[in-house]
Amino acid sequence: MKKIFSIILVLILMISTLAGCSAKTEEKAVVGDSTTKVGLIVSTLNNPFFVSLKDGAQVKAKELGYDLIVLDSQNDPAKELSNMEDLLTKGVDIILINPTDSDAVGNAIKLANDKKTPVITLDRGANAGEVVTHIASDNVSGGKMAGDYIIKLVGENAKVVELEGIAGTSAARDRGQGFNDAIKGTNIKVVARQVADFDRTKGLSVMENILEAQPKIDAVFAHNDEMALGALKAIEASGRDIKVVGFDATEDAVKSVNDGKMSATVAQQPDEIGSLGVEAASKVINGEKVDKFIPVALKLISSSESAKIEKSYTMGLVLSTLNNPFFVSLKDGALEKANESNVKLIILDSQNDPAKELANIEDLLTQNVDLILINPTDSDAVVNSIKNANNKNVPVITLDRGANAGEIVTHIASDNVAGGMMAGNFIKDLLGSKGNVVELEGIAGTSAARDRGKGFNDAIKETDIKVVARQVADFDRTKGLSVMENILEAQPKIDAVFAHNDEMALGALKAIEASGRDIKVVGFDASEDAVKSVHDGKMSATVAQQPGKIGSLGIESAIKFLNGESLEKYIPVDLKIIK
């Protein structure tokens, strides 16, 4: 009996021990599962640019305590798809992907979408699938920067070669677009344009063939430094004197520029792209909103340009919305000038929300920017934001729309009163100083809406023109359409419409076309769609602003102020009417 009891006691002890081990194992598994897993798929790690991108992501992941799983697609879309499947089986919380190809990556992203795993694209975008945000340099701006530099270098009658990156990638497409936009108005001839897949060896062999076929070449623009360095090797072997401009500012390329071999390279910040990718992933995981596009600043590195750079500044640009082509152009002008001027520009979108605008200003103040450029959502509501900056002694410049209080250094804008008067005078001449008109107003409280309306009404004051309807449509095309539909039902006779911007004008035009009535439409801004509509004989006219110039002058004025120069309180930007 004692023997049986002993056996039972041993069995009980064994079971207790096993249960204890099992509990400990289970506890360990729970701790492991709580670690945030972030996946990073890189197109290739056989390129120093993407190695730097990976390094930046790893440093930020370590800082935030995330488990970063890095996979290399080896420039193979099939491998990229396999990598995506691998990460999804590992149960990662979010995936960062630097695509091999902007089209091919769509299938990989859709797999993640089906599993409800958020995706962020880095450097190269995706043409399909849903992504939370895209983080990249402004490749169009960088390509234009390279093109402008080549024009300075070899003149407007030169013969150039363009070495293209992997076909289908957004980087190759956008850099090529920017470069060709820059040389469009010149007599520069692209004597050869060939794909070399962002690869140094291919850049060498492709350039060797081009050199044999082309007796005169003045310059080469390569979509990345690897191809540029390959091309340079071929040129050196040929003994010919040809300028080479690359893109990425890799260590080898910067050394080549400093050694007087390559002429220039457009400097990206791949480590910053990787770091911002993990930072954005953290925000998404924590339920915070991120902008659909997060730009990373560029600059040109050349022996001649580096000598001109004296100081580096960090500035913030807060835009009322990036859902309007006018403000996108303003942003592009500012970004291009910032890149040229060694300015780090942090761009934030207020999404037409004064509360978001206030949060954006607070965000910039915590980042210790040197100066803030702001395009207000509302001239009254922006006051609190400006006063916050004033309290921190951070100077503020307003762009396009003014502020009704708070201290600003200067205001840069078109003369909206003069522009409104220009539109009013045009309509007056069109109608012979008599008739019924509609005025579609912009966002109530903005200086642009107030001033354009004032100018328009001043112009028609002493005429027999009657404003039969005056309604707010918030500078929005969809609202312009719906508001105009209601007005058309209520007003049997309308001769013309003046809209405070082109988006509302184009919406109104759509409503008018659907009604079959003959009503003249005049807008304001000269957006691409509006100018096309004027040229097609649909809209009658648009007042041409220069949003790109407003943005560019903003950066230029900011640098002058920070360098101790005085500025006028108001810097006007010229207008003209396109009809």
Side-chain angles (χ1 to χ4, degrees):
M1 188 74 181
K2 284 182 180 178
K3 190 175 181 182
I4 293 168
F5 180 76
S6 299
I7 291 167
I8 291 168
L9 187 60
V10 169
L11 286 169
I12 289 168
L13 288 168
M14 285 175 67
I15 290 164
S16 299
T17 305
L18 286 168
C21 290
S22 175
K24 284 177 186 175
T25 305
E26 190 176 332
E27 185 183 344
K28 187 178 178 183
V30 170
V31 172
D33 287 346
S34 68
T35 303
T36 300
K37 292 180 184 175
V38 178
L40 171 62
I41 301 174
V42 182
S43 60
T44 177
L45 286 174
N46 193 30
N47 181 322
F49 179 85
F50 298 115
V51 173
S52 293
L53 186 152
K54 180 227 11 155
D55 291 345
Q58 285 177 326
V59 168
K60 181 58 72 173
K62 187 176 180 182
E63 179 189 314
L64 297 175
Y66 291 160
D67 179 13
L68 185 69
I69 303 166
V70 182
L71 299 177
D72 178 6
S73 299
Q74 299 165 8
N75 273 332
D76 180 358
K79 176 72 173 165
E80 179 175 72
L81 188 62
S82 170
N83 284 339
M84 181 65 81
E85 289 168 341
D86 188 4
L87 290 176
L88 292 170
T89 59
K90 284 182 164 72
V92 296
D93 297 283
I94 191 165
I95 294 169
L96 307 168
I97 187 164
N98 157 240
T100 58
D101 178 285
S102 300
D103 289 317
V105 77
N107 291 329
I109 292 173
K110 285 175 183 176
L111 282 183
N113 295 158
D114 291 342
K115 297 286 186 181
K116 310 293 184 196
T117 303
V119 178
I120 292 172
T121 48
L122 304 179
D123 186 56
R124 296 172 186 160
N127 292 336
E130 291 178 22
V131 300
V132 179
T133 187
H134 176 55
I135 303 171
S137 309
D138 185 338
N139 283 307
V140 175
S141 174
K144 187 174 185 303
M145 199 180 286
D148 288 339
Y149 186 71
I150 283 174
I151 293 168
K152 286 182 191 174
L153 215 54
V154 294
E156 297 194 359
N157 297 296
K159 293 185 176 179
V160 301
V161 167
E162 182 181 0
L163 296 184
E164 299 177 308
I166 297 169
T169 59
S170 57
R173 181 184 63 243
D174 293 347
R175 292 172 194 182
Q177 184 195 320
F179 171 71
N180 286 283
D181 284 350
I183 64 172
K184 193 185 288 178
T186 70
N187 292 321
I188 287 177
K189 184 180 179 186
V190 180
V191 293
R193 183 180 283 116
Q194 288 190 36
V195 170
D197 290 339
F198 292 127
D199 184 80
R200 192 180 299 202
T201 305
K202 289 183 182 177
L204 167 63
S205 60
V206 167
M207 195 65 208
E208 283 174 337
N209 293 335
I210 292 172
L211 287 164
E212 282 183 22
Q214 296 295 335
K216 188 178 187 314
I217 302 169
D218 299 295
V220 173
F221 169 55
H223 289 186
N224 81 338
D225 286 332
E226 288 297 287
M227 295 187 295
L229 290 161
L232 181 67
K233 193 171 181 182
I235 291 164
E236 287 174 337
S238 74
R240 291 163 68 173
D241 179 22
I242 300 171
K243 311 296 183 188
V244 178
V245 175
F247 201 117
D248 285 342
T250 62
E251 193 175 334
D252 286 352
V254 172
K255 184 179 184 304
S256 181
V257 171
N258 292 337
D259 290 345
K261 294 179 179 180
M262 273 177 61
S263 298
T265 177
V266 178
Q268 294 201 81
Q269 301 181 69
D271 56 337
E272 180 76 356
I273 293 172
S275 177
L276 284 172
V278 175
E279 204 171 285
S282 177
K283 287 182 178 178
V284 172
I285 290 165
N286 291 321
E288 297 177 46
K289 286 186 178 180
V290 293
D291 291 330
K292 290 301 285 181
F293 173 57
I294 300 172
V296 182
L298 293 164
K299 66 177 179 179
L300 190 82
I301 294 179
S302 70
S303 52
S304 59
E305 291 295 313
S306 60
K308 297 178 187 176
I309 297 168
E310 295 174 3
K311 289 183 181 178
S312 175
Y313 295 114
T314 299
M315 300 181 195
L317 171 61
V318 180
L319 292 155
S320 58
T321 177
L322 281 173
N323 194 30
N324 181 320
F326 179 87
F327 298 113
V328 172
S329 295
L330 190 154
K331 181 261 302 178
D332 290 344
L335 194 56
E336 185 176 342
K337 179 57 73 174
N339 292 337
E340 289 174 7
S341 309
N342 198 35
V343 169
K344 181 181 178 183
L345 188 64
I346 303 165
I347 300 168
L348 299 175
D349 179 4
S350 299
Q351 299 164 7
N352 275 330
D353 181 358
K356 174 75 171 165
E357 183 177 71
L358 185 62
N360 284 340
I361 290 289
E362 288 168 349
D363 186 4
L364 291 175
L365 292 173
T366 60
Q367 294 187 59
N368 297 317
V369 294
D370 297 298
L371 182 144
I372 294 172
L373 301 151
I374 187 164
N375 156 242
T377 58
D378 179 289
S379 300
D380 288 316
V382 76
V383 171
N384 289 333
S385 296
I386 292 174
K387 285 182 177 176
N388 279 354
N390 295 160
N391 291 337
K392 296 284 186 180
N393 295 317
V394 176
V396 178
I397 292 174
T398 49
L399 304 178
D400 184 58
R401 297 172 185 162
N404 291 337
E407 292 178 24
I408 61 165
V409 173
T410 187
H411 176 56
I412 302 170
S414 309
D415 186 339
N416 282 308
V417 175
M421 189 168 282
M422 202 178 281
N425 286 330
F426 179 79
I427 286 174
K428 183 170 70 175
D429 293 342
L430 207 58
L431 304 183
S433 293
K434 60 183 179 182
N436 291 346
V437 301
V438 168
E439 182 181 358
L440 296 185
E441 299 175 304
I443 296 170
T446 59
S447 58
R450 182 182 63 243
D451 294 348
R452 292 172 193 181
K454 181 180 188 308
F456 172 71
N457 286 284
D458 284 351
I460 64 171
K461 194 184 292 179
E462 302 298 326
T463 70
D464 292 323
I465 290 173
K466 183 182 178 186
V467 179
V468 294
R470 182 180 283 116
Q471 287 191 38
V472 170
D474 289 337
F475 292 128
D476 184 81
R477 191 179 300 200
T478 305
K479 289 183 181 176
L481 167 64
S482 60
V483 167
M484 194 64 208
E485 284 173 337
N486 293 334
I487 293 172
L488 286 164
E489 283 184 21
Q491 296 296 334
K493 188 178 187 315
I494 301 168
D495 300 296
V497 174
F498 169 55
H500 289 186
N501 82 337
D502 286 333
E503 288 297 288
M504 296 187 295
L506 290 161
L509 180 68
K510 192 171 182 181
I512 292 163
E513 287 175 335
S515 75
R517 291 162 69 173
D518 181 20
I519 300 170
K520 310 298 182 188
V521 178
V522 176
F524 201 117
D525 285 343
S527 68
E528 191 175 336
D529 286 352
V531 171
K532 185 179 185 302
S533 181
V534 172
H535 289 161
D536 291 345
K538 295 178 179 180
M539 272 176 62
S540 299
T542 177
V543 178
Q545 292 202 83
Q546 301 182 69
K549 191 171 181 182
I550 294 172
S552 178
L553 278 173
I555 299 295
E556 195 173 295
S557 301
I559 293 168
K560 285 179 179 178
F561 178 79
L562 292 171
N563 286 339
E565 297 180 43
S566 59
L567 299 173
E568 297 291 334
K569 291 303 285 181
Y570 170 55
I571 300 172
V573 180
D574 293 338
L575 292 165
K576 65 177 179 178
I577 196 150
I578 294 176
K579 54 187 177 176

